[in-house]
Amino acid sequence: MPNNRGSKRAFGSIRKLPSGRFQARYLGPDGRQYAAKRSNGDPLTFDTKGDAEGWLSLRHSEVLRGEWLPAPKPTVTFAAYAGSWLAARELAPRTRELYRRLLTNHIEPRFGTVALGAITKSDVRAWHAGLTCGRTAKSHAYQLLRTICGTAVVDDLIPSNPCQIRGAGSTKRARKVTVATATEVATLAAAMPSRFRLMVLLAAYAGPRFGEMAELRRGDIDATNGVLRIRRGVVRVTGARLVKGPKSDAGVRDVVIPPHVMPAVRAHLSEHTQPGRDGLLFPAASGVQLNESTFRRHWYAARTKASRPDLRFHDLRHTANMAAAAAGADLPTLMARMGHSSTGAALVYLHTAAEQDRAVAERMSELATGTANVVPIKSKRRRKSG
């Protein structure tokens, strides 16, 4: 039987292949393994062990004389590498769609045909300065380019990451959210078609996201105990509906619905929900999950009636979280209602509630010390029964 084990040598190793030919390889000064290859890059094997030893001796002498050069790295375009990078990652469908869109619309038009190793820092700065998309898309495009190039560094395809623009990958909230008041929420709900009114109330007092509400089923509502069970959400990916679980385990949650919303819940279950436990709570006219674009048309009209043209529907989630914090929810409770696994977002609401509580306390002191302008409340006299 042929001996397939590599022979021990001071420099390199030789292996006899099942075909009877010999393969030679060695560890280069750069720490990489090199096997004998032809000039076109195809593997090179030898008729005899002596021929393989001769090839290794030539390579060893090149190393000793300082004439050894590493094999040139294969030239790969950014588009080719980005494609393989994207294919190798486990991503949520909408994230994959976002990355593909960023590559197609913003990154590959400039770098797609460029060799990965030829992209320079100045190229990236010029590209970033010339992007005409919105602030968020610009930041996301830069983040994606930086991440892909970072992986290329790890893969030893480029020596360093050319994405070195300080702060280019950070996103700041472009608008300040002013939460809706209870009166505004009531006005918004009343202005919506009856089949959508509960969506407004649940968003403002229980805080589910639109995609979570669009996938709610009759069985997800415990009308006896007033509990909303959030287990799934629906998203649109390349025009198709995709039902999936929440982003994290914390997204699977039970949210207690405030009692004053429960009459609307029961009325909606009776009048607008599809029959059976799996019946959609907020079905579209066609019977499938509601599209956000359909809902948005009515929402725009309602927020105009409420004199809140600035209010996005997602802002009602902030309203719900702020109300829960103001009502005394502690950090774990607030995180559970929000469906968040990290404390960062919940602490924002708790901090804001604490500031409001301080303002209330200061106002109480002003009233107690007589330094505030107090408008007396006129009490109604009881009529004496005749």
Side-chain angles (χ1 to χ4, degrees), residues 97-289:
E97 182 184 41
L98 170 63
Y99 285 178
R100 185 68 266 170
R101 188 166 63 246
L102 290 171
L103 286 167
T104 301
N105 296 340
H106 304 304
I107 303 177
E108 290 180 352
R110 172 61 182 87
F111 296 119
T113 59
V114 179
L116 190 61
I119 301 174
T120 65
K121 294 178 184 178
S122 59
D123 290 336
V124 174
R125 282 195 297 271
W127 162 78
H128 183 262
L131 285 175
T132 57
C133 53
R135 181 186 303 176
T136 300
K138 186 174 183 178
S139 173
H140 288 170
Y142 177 82
Q143 289 175 17
L144 181 58
L145 177 62
R146 182 179 61 191
T147 301
I148 293 174
C149 289
T151 307
V153 173
V154 174
D155 288 345
D156 201 27
L157 292 176
I158 56 177
S160 61
N161 197 324
C163 300
Q164 300 291 333
I165 305 174
R166 187 182 297 275
S170 62
T171 55
K172 296 181 179 179
R173 185 181 292 277
R175 58 188 290 274
K176 183 178 180 180
V177 176
T178 302
V179 298
T181 65
T183 300
E184 288 170 342
V185 170
T187 303
L188 289 163
M192 294 292 286
S194 59
R195 64 193 180 105
F196 294 147
R197 287 172 187 164
L198 182 61
M199 293 187 75
V200 174
L201 296 175
L202 287 179
Y205 292 109
R209 301 171 178 88
F210 182 89
E212 292 170 339
M213 276 197 284
E215 175 51 22
L216 283 176
R217 309 280 171 160
R218 184 183 287 270
D220 295 321
I221 293 282
D222 181 350
T224 302
N225 298 302
V227 176
L228 177 66
R229 299 190 182 98
I230 298 174
R231 300 292 184 270
R232 303 164 310 281
V234 60
V235 296
R236 290 184 67 84
V237 180
T238 59
R241 293 176 179 83
L242 175 66
V243 176
K244 65 183 194 67
K247 295 180 180 179
S248 65
D249 291 341
V252 176
R253 61 199 190 277
D254 292 347
V255 181
V256 177
I257 303 169
H260 75 280
V261 180
M262 287 308 300
V265 171
R266 296 186 182 94
H268 185 90
L269 289 171
S270 174
E271 298 170 11
H272 302 294
T273 302
Q274 291 176 338
R277 284 187 56 82
D278 290 333
L280 287 168
L281 206 65
F282 303 105
S286 59
V288 298
Q289 294 95 337

Side-chain angles (χ1 to χ4, degrees), residues 275-355:
R277 284 187 56 82
D278 290 333
L280 287 168
L281 206 65
F282 303 105
S286 59
V288 298
Q289 294 95 337
L290 182 67
N291 284 337
E292 191 168 2
S293 57
T294 301
F295 176 86
R296 198 181 297 127
R297 292 197 301 270
H298 301 287
W299 171 253
Y300 289 159
R303 69 182 191 179
T304 298
K305 289 184 179 179
S307 300
R308 286 299 307 271
D310 61 306
L311 197 68
R312 301 175 307 177
F313 183 69
H314 189 75
D315 293 340
L316 292 185
R317 178 168 160 82
H318 298 292
T319 299
N321 295 330
M322 191 64 248
D330 59 10
L331 184 59
T333 301
L334 192 55
M335 289 173 61
R337 291 183 71 87
M338 295 170 66
H340 283 183
S341 54
S342 63
T343 61
L347 285 172
V348 171
Y349 296 109
L350 290 177
H351 178 69
T352 304
E355 288 181 344

